[in-house]
Amino acid sequence: MRKLLGLVLLAGMAQTVDAQRLLNLDSCRALALKNNKQMSISRVKKEVAANVRKAARTKYLPHISALGGYEFTSKEISILNNDQKEALSSLGTNLKDGIVSSVGPYAQILPPALQQQLGTDLTRMAGFLDMGGQNIVNAFRTDTRNMFAGAILLTQPVFMGGAIVAMNKMADTGELLAANSEEAKRQSTLYQIDQAYWQVVSLRHKQKLAQGYLDLVKKLDGDVQKMIKEGVATRSEGLSVSVKVNEAEMAVIKVNDGLVLAKMLLCQLCGLPVNEQVVLTDEETADLGAVEVAPQLNVERAFENRPELKMLQNVVDMGKQATNLLKAGNLPQVMLTGGYMVSNPNLFNGFEKKFAGVWNVGVLVRVPIWNWGDVAYKVRASKGATTIATLQRDEAREMIELQVNQSAFKVNEANKKLELAKASTERADENLRTANLGFSEGVISSTTVMEAQTAWLQAQSQKIDAEIDVKLSQVNLQKAMGTLSE
């Protein structure tokens, strides 16, 4: 029966361990970088910038476009006026009437048969001429009420005043800006996850410390209660120890709640459910950190690595190219053009009611003459914006230099605090051991033991804080140097 109960307990413990996710600092960083929404946004922005750069490259290449259209008008275009149309349509009749009026008196001398034949011939000629005149009128009819047109157009920039070059340089800088923004967000994410990770580790160690302190005061409370029963201790001493027990229990509750909240924050940063049961590898490490070697300052390296400074430099470069782009508005622009155009009706073989086209090539030149200083004002405004960006970059360099020196100072300060905290812990351990020994021998009061326990608690807590400070000061220095992601 006992063996069966033991197996059941072991199985329950195994399930509990399996239900918890074991994480170290590197795995937390990897999860945060993978699941962080801002990192995803930065990656998409980088892709957008790459596509913008590719689009800018196409401005160097010829572009081909197709055009097509249809138009209906209520009237058609007429080359001949109404009088001309009437004259051409009655050309034979008018000519016949003119001949008859001119030769009519002389035709009376001809025999009747010849007169009849002449009249018949004139009538036939008039009909042929009228028909020919009408054909001419019909040939000049355009019938442009239904017009169709289409064209294929090719344009090749030759010189655009440097606008295309400036646009491409801006696109290149924009891609660098997106990459530096992604790196800045990456370092910010790592900084947040490191802070949250070591906060959980700190609270976990303080939780064990609070529980250890509670066990100490409970043991002391039990000993004092026995001494009260034996009459060698007063009730006042017992109440004092009981107050310490209550304080220790409250401290345990507070640190437990703080640990739960800190783990929720860590899970949220890692992209895990906030109620995920996680265990950190450094939670059970007895000695969190040792004194680090004094950092070697290299401010120039920080200038080279800090993505924030690179982003400001990108803004300065983009401002300069924006100025060049605006300057192109005052320079001539040259383009080659070519294509093929069709229309229906067309005029390439008279007026024909069918599609016909023609090839064409040409050169288009645009020369700005006067724009009331519009471009000049825009160029001045752009130069002013570039000057502002330059000043912001220089100010950032000064702030980074200060930040690096402050971070290095804090690393040294954290190392000194850790050395002092370790020495204080050793003295507090010895003091507590001596107090417990004296209390058991009856030569030291419970108040002295409680003071020793309180001093031990403070020393241990300061040691934990000092160890975490060493870790966080190193993280701060890496962030200041721009090497946090290395």
Side-chain angles (χ1 to χ4, degrees), residues 205-214 216-217 244 247-248 251 424-425 428-429 432 450-465:
H205 281 76
K206 287 189 176 182
Q207 181 189 46
K208 292 188 290 184
L209 176 61
Q211 187 62 50
Y213 177 70
L214 178 61
L216 285 176
V217 294
K244 287 293 183 180
E247 292 177 354
S424 297
T425 302
D429 289 340
L432 180 60
M450 287 189 295
E451 291 176 354
Q453 290 174 344
T454 302
W456 174 84
L457 175 65
Q458 292 177 347
Q460 293 291 338
S461 179
Q462 290 174 357
K463 177 176 176 291
I464 294 173
D465 290 339

Side-chain angles (χ1 to χ4, degrees), residues 286-341:
D287 192 5
L288 288 177
V291 176
E292 300 287 343
V293 179
Q296 298 294 325
L297 292 183
N298 190 343
V299 179
E300 292 299 325
R301 185 184 179 193
F303 291 158
E304 295 174 358
N305 293 336
R306 285 293 290 269
E308 297 89 345
L309 194 60
K310 293 180 180 179
M311 291 169 63
L312 290 173
Q313 181 61 50
N314 295 149
V315 173
V316 172
D317 295 338
M318 291 186 70
K320 292 178 180 179
Q321 295 306 322
T323 302
N324 293 334
L325 183 62
L326 291 171
K327 287 180 178 179
N330 273 339
L331 299 176
Q333 299 175 351
V334 182
M335 286 194 303
L336 295 178
T337 63
Y340 184 76
M341 180 178 64

Side-chain angles (χ1 to χ4, degrees), residues 58-336:
T58 64
K59 302 302 180 183
Y60 288 114
L61 305 175
H63 285 63
I64 301 175
S65 57
L67 304 174
Y70 164 77
E71 184 177 9
F72 173 79
T73 59
S74 60
K75 294 181 180 181
E76 66 179 52
I77 297 173
S78 178
I79 297 177
L80 303 176
N81 59 36
N82 292 332
D83 293 338
Q84 291 171 335
K85 291 179 183 178
E86 180 64 27
L88 288 172
S89 299
S90 304
L91 178 64
T93 302
N94 294 335
L95 181 61
K96 174 187 173 183
D97 293 342
I99 293 174
V100 170
S101 62
S102 299
V103 302
Y106 303 102
Q108 299 297 327
I109 64 175
L110 296 175
L114 290 176
Q115 291 181 18
Q116 184 178 3
Q117 182 64 37
L118 178 62
T120 301
D121 292 340
L122 288 174
T123 301
R124 185 180 300 170
M125 181 191 68
F128 284 136
L129 290 176
D130 286 346
M131 185 181 298
Q134 185 62 45
N135 289 336
I136 293 173
V137 171
N138 292 336
F140 274 97
R141 183 181 178 185
T142 60
D143 192 14
T144 53
R145 290 173 300 171
N146 295 284
M147 292 186 292
F148 301 86
I152 296 178
L153 181 64
L154 181 145
T155 57
Q156 171 62 59
V158 177
F159 177 73
M160 302 301 290
I164 296 179
V165 175
M167 188 185 305
N168 275 271
K169 289 182 178 179
M170 289 181 67
D172 293 340
T173 306
E175 189 174 16
L176 291 175
L177 179 62
N180 291 326
S181 176
E182 181 185 22
E183 179 61 22
K185 181 56 64 177
R186 172 186 172 85
Q187 294 198 17
S188 176
T189 301
L190 294 178
Y191 181 74
Q192 291 178 346
I193 203 68
D194 283 18
Q195 294 274 342
Y197 180 90
W198 292 115
Q199 178 69 17
V200 171
V201 173
S202 174
L203 289 173
R204 173 57 181 153
H205 281 76
K206 287 189 176 182
Q207 181 189 46
K208 292 188 290 184
L209 176 61
Q211 187 62 50
Y213 177 70
L214 178 61
D215 294 339
L216 285 176
V217 294
K218 279 185 175 181
K219 181 179 182 303
L220 178 62
D221 183 53
D223 293 339
V224 171
Q225 293 301 324
K226 292 178 182 178
M227 293 173 65
I228 292 174
K229 290 179 181 180
E230 295 175 359
V232 295
T234 63
R235 183 173 176 80
S236 177
E237 290 179 330
L239 291 175
S240 298
V241 177
S242 297
V243 170
K244 287 293 183 180
V245 172
N246 292 336
E247 292 177 354
E249 290 175 345
M250 287 297 298
V252 170
I253 293 173
K254 289 177 65 176
V255 75
N256 287 341
D257 293 342
L259 181 60
V260 171
L261 294 176
K263 285 192 174 183
M264 285 184 177
L265 175 61
L266 181 65
C267 289
Q268 189 272 328
L269 293 175
C270 291
L272 301 173
V274 293
N275 294 323
E276 180 87 9
Q277 298 298 318
V278 297
V279 176
L280 306 184
T281 55
D282 289 301
E283 287 185 14
E284 305 304 326
T285 303
D287 192 5
L288 288 177
V291 176
E292 300 287 343
V293 179
Q296 298 294 325
L297 292 183
N298 190 343
V299 179
E300 292 299 325
R301 185 184 179 193
F303 291 158
E304 295 174 358
N305 293 336
R306 285 293 290 269
E308 297 89 345
L309 194 60
K310 293 180 180 179
M311 291 169 63
L312 290 173
Q313 181 61 50
N314 295 149
V315 173
V316 172
D317 295 338
M318 291 186 70
K320 292 178 180 179
Q321 295 306 322
T323 302
N324 293 334
L325 183 62
L326 291 171
K327 287 180 178 179
N330 273 339
L331 299 176
Q333 299 175 351
V334 182
M335 286 194 303
L336 295 178

Side-chain angles (χ1 to χ4, degrees), residues 251-485:
V252 170
I253 293 173
K254 289 177 65 176
V255 75
N256 287 341
D257 293 342
L259 181 60
V260 171
L261 294 176
K263 285 192 174 183
M264 285 184 177
L265 175 61
L266 181 65
C267 289
Q268 189 272 328
L269 293 175
C270 291
L272 301 173
V274 293
N275 294 323
E276 180 87 9
Q277 298 298 318
V278 297
V279 176
L280 306 184
T281 55
D282 289 301
E283 287 185 14
E284 305 304 326
T285 303
D287 192 5
L288 288 177
V291 176
E292 300 287 343
V293 179
Q296 298 294 325
L297 292 183
N298 190 343
V299 179
E300 292 299 325
R301 185 184 179 193
F303 291 158
E304 295 174 358
N305 293 336
R306 285 293 290 269
E308 297 89 345
L309 194 60
K310 293 180 180 179
M311 291 169 63
L312 290 173
Q313 181 61 50
N314 295 149
V315 173
V316 172
D317 295 338
M318 291 186 70
K320 292 178 180 179
Q321 295 306 322
T323 302
N324 293 334
L325 183 62
L326 291 171
K327 287 180 178 179
N330 273 339
L331 299 176
Q333 299 175 351
V334 182
M335 286 194 303
L336 295 178
T337 63
Y340 184 76
M341 180 178 64
V342 296
S343 64
N344 183 5
N346 70 85
L347 301 174
F348 301 115
N349 188 25
F351 284 97
E352 291 184 318
K353 194 66 176 179
K354 65 180 182 179
F355 283 99
V358 61
W359 293 97
N360 62 84
V361 293
V363 179
L364 179 64
V365 180
R366 174 184 175 274
V367 181
I369 297 176
W370 183 252
N371 54 25
W372 301 99
D374 174 65
V375 175
Y377 295 140
K378 291 179 179 178
V379 168
R380 291 175 189 173
S382 179
K383 287 182 177 180
T386 304
T387 302
I388 293 173
T390 303
L391 293 173
Q392 290 175 340
R393 180 202 60 190
D394 295 340
E395 183 183 23
R397 288 174 64 91
E398 295 174 359
M399 295 301 296
I400 288 173
E401 182 177 4
L402 177 62
Q403 198 176 65
V404 170
N405 284 279
Q406 287 178 336
S407 299
F409 178 81
K410 289 181 179 179
V411 169
N412 294 327
E413 183 181 24
N415 288 335
K416 294 176 181 178
K417 286 183 178 180
L418 180 57
E419 291 178 344
L420 294 174
K422 288 182 175 180
S424 297
T425 302
E426 294 175 358
R427 289 193 294 268
D429 289 340
E430 179 62 21
N431 183 36
L432 180 60
R433 187 189 68 80
T434 304
N436 287 330
L437 181 61
F439 181 73
S440 63
E441 296 294 336
V443 295
I444 291 180
S445 65
S446 60
T447 303
T448 304
V449 176
M450 287 189 295
E451 291 176 354
Q453 290 174 344
T454 302
W456 174 84
L457 175 65
Q458 292 177 347
Q460 293 291 338
S461 179
Q462 290 174 357
K463 177 176 176 291
I464 294 173
D465 290 339
E467 290 173 335
I468 297 300
D469 282 345
V470 169
K471 297 292 186 182
L472 294 181
S473 64
Q474 289 291 331
V475 173
N476 289 331
L477 180 60
Q478 290 176 354
K479 187 175 186 300
M481 293 292 297
T483 59
L484 186 57
S485 59

